[in-house]
Amino acid sequence: MKRSLYWLTNDLRVNDNTALTLASQSDKLLCVYVVDKNWFQAGNYQAKPLGNKRWHFLQDCLTDFNQRLLALGQQLYIVYGDTLSSLTNLCQQYDITDVITTRLPGTYENSLITQLSNRFPQVTVNKVEQFTLFKQDLLPFELEQLPTSYSKFKKAIVDTVISPVIPPTIALPSPFKNMPSPTIFRPQWLPDTPYQETTLGFNFVGGEKSALTHLEHYFSSDLPLNYQEVRNNLDGWDNSSKLSPWLGYGCISARQVITAITDFENTHGKNKSTECLYLEILWREYFQWLHYKVGSKMYQFKGLAQHSPLTSFYPERFNKWCLGRTPYPLVNACMNELRQTGYLSNRGRQIVASCLVNELSVDWRYGAAWFEERLIDYDAAVNWGNWQYIAGVGVDPRGGRHFNIDKQSALYDPDGAYTAKWSAQDNNTNQSYQTLDSVDASDWPVSNNSLTHDSLAGDNDS
Ligand SMILES: Cc1cc2nc3c(=O)[nH]c(=O)nc-3n(C[C@H](O)[C@H](O)[C@H](O)COP(=O)(O)OP(=O)(O)OC[C@H]3O[C@@H](n4cnc5c(N)ncnc54)[C@H](O)[C@@H]3O)c2cc1C
């Protein structure tokens, strides 16, 4: 008897879900999502793995997915706690024979699976490859031989097969008996900050339903024909596909997006813009395979290049950057948008990342971790890969990117409309914006003679 536990992670969909199809071939099935306590606690770089905006988005995803499972005779069992012990307990309690999950490049997820396999050697663990477009054994090179730059990767995979999208699962085996009612118990450590709609920026609704609606909306318009010309704009819903948050939680698969691009090209014709969009999805793909290859090096200061940037950690500068209070109005506007909405355009991300590393000389990992907390579309491989790229420790053959902020303002915000929009709500326009480092009285060199009672009294009088 096959008693399966399907551990859901970044695959919250019923369409094109090979893991769910595999799970449907079980006799009994437990569909589990673990909300890990550690996600809400600050980690190494002062940031939490999961901030409020993405937490709200995730809750939408879970609600939507549960509704879809209910329609298939199943339910989503949401567990709150430590992931490894939660999965261990469930494997024991329900005498699980098979664990099914989507293969992800993150080192944390992989170490959990290894620990689980070691605990239960008799249990079959199926890691389904579906977060990427390609399957590893169809790549035209061994993972160790992954090309060292994106352009070489792009050329190498030109004939690699992307397996077709699979039809949705239509029925699932029944859940185990006597299961506690899902989603009722909410521990105290969960944040209960209410969702705040942004009036200035974009509001993303999580879940497969809104993902499919959005995909349909984007590709039934002419927008993809113009993507290349407008993708670098700082503002505007229609200037890029805005698919990233749903791709992040797997509410749609990268294969579904590629299929939508190809179908669009078949009806509207192929042009530079549709090709450019395709190539962006390939960037995402490259970073996933890179992460598989290099593992924890993705998070190291020296990165893949094994080169140390001339940066350090300056708490005041970092705080000013996070809060949008640097001497650079464009950077502040971008950081305000990110803080208030959980989204920032690709150009905005490049500008603020370059500023943190080059103008503020701050260790890039603090910025990457801040993005991890704040972004709705956080993706480990894409985020840390892009940060490494800009910090000059990644796969950029040019060795890092320094964006000239004045030039970027002139090019992408010539009339200052974007900066004005994201500064308008900020009342705190004091001088601390003008300086990078404030000088504390204790930093001044003071001779012993001057520290007399009289001189201090004199200060008080003046
Ligand atoms: C410092 C930095 C950090 C980033 N962190 C993330 C992250 O955590 N999650 C994330 O999804 N993207 C990240 N990106 C990439 C990019 O900014 C976003 O994917 C994009 O802005 C999302 O908007 P969109 O879906 O409208 O993108 P579109 O321009 O419509 O692109 C379509 C898709 O292609 C992929 N893509 C686009 N740009 C890139 C890129 N530069 N690298 C890899 N894939 C790309 C994404 O999956 C995106 O959804 C980061 C970029 C930078 C510079």
Side-chain angles (χ1 to χ4, degrees), residues 222-336:
D222 285 342
L223 293 169
L225 289 173
N226 211 23
Y227 169 78
Q228 194 182 31
E229 286 80 49
V230 291
R231 63 179 286 265
N232 275 315
N233 290 355
L234 291 171
D235 213 356
W237 178 253
D238 288 339
N239 288 331
S240 63
S241 75
K242 303 293 182 300
L243 286 166
S244 54
W246 293 291
L247 275 168
Y249 275 117
C251 305
I252 40 166
S253 67
R255 285 193 303 215
Q256 285 173 287
V257 178
I258 289 293
T259 307
I261 298 176
T262 324
D263 290 349
F264 182 89
E265 288 179 336
N266 289 339
T267 52
H268 294 71
K270 197 176 185 165
N271 74 2
K272 282 199 167 163
S273 279
T274 59
E275 258 177 78
C276 177
L277 187 55
Y278 190 99
L279 293 177
E280 290 305 326
I281 302 289
L282 275 193
W283 258 114
R284 173 191 181 274
E285 184 75 8
Y286 180 55
F287 281 128
Q288 308 302 329
W289 291 111
L290 190 67
H291 195 359
Y292 277 126
K293 178 183 166 187
V294 304
S296 60
K297 269 198 187 156
M298 205 75 180
Y299 307 95
Q300 288 169 7
F301 181 57
K302 291 183 176 182
L304 312 178
Q306 288 297 297
H307 147 78
S308 297
L310 293 172
T311 55
S312 183
F313 180 58
Y314 302 101
E316 183 182 356
R317 293 182 187 188
F318 177 60
N319 272 335
K320 283 184 169 169
W321 180 80
C322 295
L323 296 173
R325 294 189 180 169
T326 72
Y328 312 100
L330 180 63
V331 172
N332 297 345
C334 290
M335 295 306 286
N336 289 342

Side-chain angles (χ1 to χ4, degrees), residues 121-192:
Q122 76 287 5
V123 170
T124 309
V125 177
N126 302 279
K127 287 201 266 179
V128 178
E129 285 192 290
Q130 57 172 356
F131 196 62
T132 46
L133 287 172
F134 305 125
K135 295 197 185 340
Q136 187 170 334
D137 57 6
L138 293 181
L139 289 174
F141 40 75
E142 294 297 320
L143 192 54
E144 282 312 303
Q145 261 59 61
L146 179 81
T148 48
S149 75
Y150 169 70
S151 43
K152 288 183 191 156
F153 170 77
K154 207 170 59 179
K155 279 190 200 126
I157 52 83
V158 84
D159 293 322
T160 309
V161 176
I162 301 175
S163 40
V165 165
I166 61 161
T169 309
I170 45 166
L172 287 170
S174 56
F176 289 84
K177 284 204 179 103
N178 307 325
M179 282 193 39
S181 186
T183 70
I184 283 180
F185 168 68
R186 285 173 69 91
Q188 278 187 335
W189 47 260
L190 274 185
D192 55 4

Side-chain angles (χ1 to χ4, degrees), residues 23-146:
S24 72
Q25 292 149 15
S26 316
D27 298 297
K28 285 277 174 202
L29 176 63
L30 181 59
C31 296
V32 181
Y33 190 92
V34 186
V35 175
D36 198 303
K37 197 174 177 178
N38 290 323
W39 295 347
F40 303 95
Q41 287 160 6
N44 284 346
Y45 305 107
Q46 306 191 350
K48 296 175 201 162
L50 180 63
N52 256 328
K53 290 283 176 197
R54 196 161 80 258
W55 171 228
H56 281 289
F57 185 83
L58 171 58
Q59 289 176 85
D60 292 342
C61 297
L62 296 174
T63 305
D64 177 81
F65 187 66
N66 187 40
Q67 279 163 0
R68 283 162 185 269
L69 287 188
L70 289 172
L72 297 172
Q74 257 288 337
Q75 64 183 32
L76 184 62
Y77 186 38
I78 302 178
V79 188
Y80 302 93
D82 169 74
T83 303
L84 182 60
S85 39
S86 304
L87 294 177
T88 305
N89 290 343
L90 290 170
C91 283
Q92 271 164 350
Q93 198 178 342
Y94 293 101
D95 199 12
I96 294 299
T97 59
D98 291 68
V99 170
I100 301 165
T101 195
T102 292
R103 185 186 179 205
L104 293 173
T107 44
Y108 175 68
E109 288 83 0
N110 282 309
S111 101
L112 281 177
I113 287 290
T114 310
Q115 290 179 65
L116 204 62
S117 300
N118 292 344
R119 274 256 173 78
F120 301 101
Q122 76 287 5
V123 170
T124 309
V125 177
N126 302 279
K127 287 201 266 179
V128 178
E129 285 192 290
Q130 57 172 356
F131 196 62
T132 46
L133 287 172
F134 305 125
K135 295 197 185 340
Q136 187 170 334
D137 57 6
L138 293 181
L139 289 174
F141 40 75
E142 294 297 320
L143 192 54
E144 282 312 303
Q145 261 59 61
L146 179 81

